[in-house]
Amino acid sequence: MALCRNAKPASVVYLLYLIVRLRSTAVIRRLRKHKMRKGNEMGIIETKGLTKIYRRYQKQEGIVGSIKGLFHREYEEKAAVKEMDLCVEEGEFIGLIGPNGAGKTTLVKMLTGIIAPSSGMVNVMGYYPNKLENAFKKQYAIVMGQKSQLFFELTTGDTLNLFKEIYEIPHREYQQNKNYFVELFQVKDLMNVQVRTLSLGERMKMELIAALLHNPKVLFLDEPTIGLDAVASRQMREFLKEVNREKNTTIVLTSHYMEDIKMLCRRSVVVNHGCKIYDGDTEALFEKYQKNKRISVTFPRKVTLDLQSIGGIVLEEEGFKKVIGVPRESSSQAVAYIMKFSPMDITIEEEEIGKVVERIYEQEEAAYA
């Protein structure tokens, strides 16, 4: 205080100026931090009102219809995705499920920029996907179970080298990632083998390695386990878990196989007729809507089953094989009863996704009625 009393007026003014400036700087820094935090709260994938409408040409049969179509064309509009609102956080493993034609693949194609939306907002890692900027394409990957991105005439090692050049991956980073995934997927003995000679399970492993070489932030998987046997499917699920956990890769998985969704995804989004009809916890989804189990059993001889006491019904029957539907809570009781007949083979499966979606859709319609 003595310093301020003895100081000249000009010095006091300058001191006050410094105090105000320092406080202003601190406020600005706080605002910037708040803005950064607010920006980080935005999901790595965000859509609002996302819609895709296809316009399809309708033509009458025969040559007359073809001639009429030259002068007057009739079209119909089909909404593949309608008013889709979705937010996915970084590091999430989310399941996208629904029956054939529900709009799952169309949604993934819009999120990756393969097709442009008709309307609505889409933001993936801060980019508008359909601009197809190189900076965006280097940060995501997509694997489709029915479409290969590999080069069938090359060896797997040469194919990975080609992807290194396409994505401009630094040599050291490429070697580290390649060694990591080759070890993880146990495919060292396949590196000098021509891609066309690989089995389906081996090819899917190489598809995933090729997709993950450039360290994508987001990985889109469309039916990655389709056609795989039980062992290969289980291995694929373990690999995906490891990638999500170790690399913090955000994964969006579409699948008809309920085992994939239950084992991998904490959160599920159910789509039907282009609309989102459920978005929430996967366990809660199955607890609430998956009421029954399917038991496929083959007997050594013809048997007659009394399933009324456990609420079961025979869904299919062919020779000595029966497919039985039972309530989930009675499945253990049903298996114990079936085992009395010494079956040759027995398989327990979850209810088909189509049935689950129908049940959700019916309840949602009833709620809005």
Side-chain angles (χ1 to χ4, degrees), residues 193-303:
V193 175
Q194 198 175 22
V195 171
R196 67 165 54 254
T197 66
L198 299 176
S199 68
L200 181 59
E202 292 169 341
R203 183 174 64 77
M204 285 309 301
K205 289 179 184 178
M206 299 312 302
E207 294 274 3
L208 277 174
I209 293 175
L212 294 166
L213 267 181
H214 60 287
N215 285 329
K217 290 183 180 178
V218 183
L219 175 63
F220 296 95
L221 299 171
D222 190 17
E223 304 285 358
T225 59
I226 192 166
L228 299 184
D229 60 31
V231 175
S233 295
R234 187 174 64 251
Q235 287 178 340
M236 194 65 64
R237 288 194 287 267
E238 290 302 320
F239 298 146
L240 292 172
K241 274 185 186 177
E242 179 79 11
V243 169
N244 176 246
R245 183 172 59 248
E246 295 297 322
K247 300 281 186 178
N248 198 39
T249 305
T250 304
I251 302 179
V252 178
L253 168 69
T254 73
S255 180
H256 284 100
Y257 297 113
M258 292 300 91
E259 198 64 26
D260 291 349
I261 302 296
K262 290 179 76 173
M263 294 288 290
L264 295 170
C265 309
R266 290 186 179 179
R267 175 186 168 198
S268 291
V269 174
V270 182
V271 180
N272 196 27
H273 301 306
C275 299
K276 182 175 73 172
I277 59 174
Y278 179 88
D279 185 352
D281 184 75
T282 301
E283 286 188 16
L285 168 69
F286 288 104
E287 283 295 325
K288 186 175 180 180
Y289 295 106
Q290 197 166 49
K291 306 290 186 183
N292 303 315
K293 284 184 178 286
R294 286 167 56 95
I295 302 175
S296 300
V297 56
T298 304
F299 296 99
R301 61 191 180 283
K302 190 173 181 62
V303 299

Side-chain angles (χ1 to χ4, degrees), residues 66-302:
S66 299
I67 294 170
K68 282 183 179 179
L70 294 173
F71 302 97
H72 177 71
R73 286 182 171 246
E74 293 182 358
Y75 294 90
E76 72 162 3
E77 290 189 342
K78 176 176 173 57
V81 176
K82 299 183 226 175
E83 297 290 329
M84 181 72 70
D85 293 344
L86 183 66
C87 180
V88 181
E89 300 296 332
E90 187 171 1
E92 266 197 287
F93 202 137
I94 181 172
L96 194 61
I97 55 182
N100 289 327
K104 307 183 302 295
T105 302
T106 299
L107 177 59
V108 169
K109 285 181 176 180
M110 286 192 285
L111 294 177
T112 54
I114 295 172
I115 59 175
S118 301
S119 62
M121 184 278 286
V122 56
N123 184 304
V124 180
M125 298 176 289
Y127 296 92
Y128 176 67
N130 200 242
K131 282 187 176 179
L132 295 175
E133 299 172 66
N134 284 335
F136 168 65
K137 290 188 285 185
K138 288 181 179 180
Q139 295 187 65
Y140 83 88
I142 181 168
V143 174
M144 293 187 170
Q146 297 181 355
K147 293 182 181 178
S148 179
Q149 61 184 331
L150 303 177
F151 295 86
F152 277 51
E153 302 305 323
L154 300 179
T155 65
T156 54
D158 287 339
T159 300
L160 296 183
N161 270 306
L162 188 56
F163 275 89
K164 169 183 177 282
E165 299 302 324
I166 291 171
Y167 285 98
E168 299 176 335
I169 307 170
H171 182 72
R172 186 174 179 181
E173 181 183 336
Y174 165 75
Q175 287 297 339
Q176 286 177 344
N177 289 344
K178 178 183 168 184
N179 293 339
Y180 172 79
F181 289 117
V182 166
E183 181 66 29
L184 175 65
F185 287 81
Q186 297 292 299
V187 291
K188 190 174 182 180
D189 57 332
L190 300 178
M191 296 311 293
N192 296 323
V193 175
Q194 198 175 22
V195 171
R196 67 165 54 254
T197 66
L198 299 176
S199 68
L200 181 59
E202 292 169 341
R203 183 174 64 77
M204 285 309 301
K205 289 179 184 178
M206 299 312 302
E207 294 274 3
L208 277 174
I209 293 175
L212 294 166
L213 267 181
H214 60 287
N215 285 329
K217 290 183 180 178
V218 183
L219 175 63
F220 296 95
L221 299 171
D222 190 17
E223 304 285 358
T225 59
I226 192 166
L228 299 184
D229 60 31
V231 175
S233 295
R234 187 174 64 251
Q235 287 178 340
M236 194 65 64
R237 288 194 287 267
E238 290 302 320
F239 298 146
L240 292 172
K241 274 185 186 177
E242 179 79 11
V243 169
N244 176 246
R245 183 172 59 248
E246 295 297 322
K247 300 281 186 178
N248 198 39
T249 305
T250 304
I251 302 179
V252 178
L253 168 69
T254 73
S255 180
H256 284 100
Y257 297 113
M258 292 300 91
E259 198 64 26
D260 291 349
I261 302 296
K262 290 179 76 173
M263 294 288 290
L264 295 170
C265 309
R266 290 186 179 179
R267 175 186 168 198
S268 291
V269 174
V270 182
V271 180
N272 196 27
H273 301 306
C275 299
K276 182 175 73 172
I277 59 174
Y278 179 88
D279 185 352
D281 184 75
T282 301
E283 286 188 16
L285 168 69
F286 288 104
E287 283 295 325
K288 186 175 180 180
Y289 295 106
Q290 197 166 49
K291 306 290 186 183
N292 303 315
K293 284 184 178 286
R294 286 167 56 95
I295 302 175
S296 300
V297 56
T298 304
F299 296 99
R301 61 191 180 283
K302 190 173 181 62

Side-chain angles (χ1 to χ4, degrees), residues 9-22:
S11 302
V12 173
V13 171
Y14 182 67
L15 185 60
L16 289 171
Y17 165 74
L18 286 176
I19 292 170
V20 171
R21 186 171 179 181
L22 286 170

